[in-house]
């Protein structure tokens, strides 16, 4: 029940307030650099998980009928 209270509280005014705080903390020039770094980190994570799945498929023994 406690989680549903907190999840229902976030709305447009709260998101705007969070954006203003981030802008004040990091400044307008740093935000694109931070987002670029975040995007490349997510891309690397996806690539690593894809490689891991491919490795698992290669390691599975092939059953021939």
């Amino acid at each position: 029940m406690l989680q549903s209270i907190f999840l229902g509280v976030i709305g447009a005014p709260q998101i705007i307030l969070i954006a203003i705080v981030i802008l004040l903390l990091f400044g307008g020039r740093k935000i694109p650099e931070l987002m670029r770094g975040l995007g490349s980190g997510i891309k690397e994570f996806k690539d690593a998980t894809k490689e891991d799945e491919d490795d698992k498929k290669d390691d599975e023994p092939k059953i021939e009928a």
Side-chain angles (χ1 to χ4, degrees), residues 2-48:
L2 187 60
Q3 287 179 340
S4 64
I5 292 172
F6 288 120
L7 291 176
V9 173
I10 297 176
Q14 288 80 13
I15 293 174
I16 292 171
L17 181 65
I18 292 169
I20 290 171
V21 169
I22 290 173
L23 185 62
L24 289 174
L25 287 175
F26 295 108
R29 294 181 182 164
K30 282 284 188 181
I31 292 176
E33 184 179 322
L34 291 171
M35 294 300 113
R36 204 172 300 120
L38 181 66
S40 65
I42 291 172
K43 183 181 178 193
E44 288 179 21
F45 178 76
K46 285 183 180 181
D47 290 343

Side-chain angles (χ1 to χ4, degrees), residues 44-60:
E44 288 179 21
F45 178 76
K46 285 183 180 181
D47 290 343
T49 56
K50 185 178 179 183
E51 287 177 8
D52 192 35
E53 288 176 2
D54 291 343
D55 289 343
K56 286 183 182 178
K57 287 181 183 177
D58 291 341
D59 290 343
E60 291 178 1

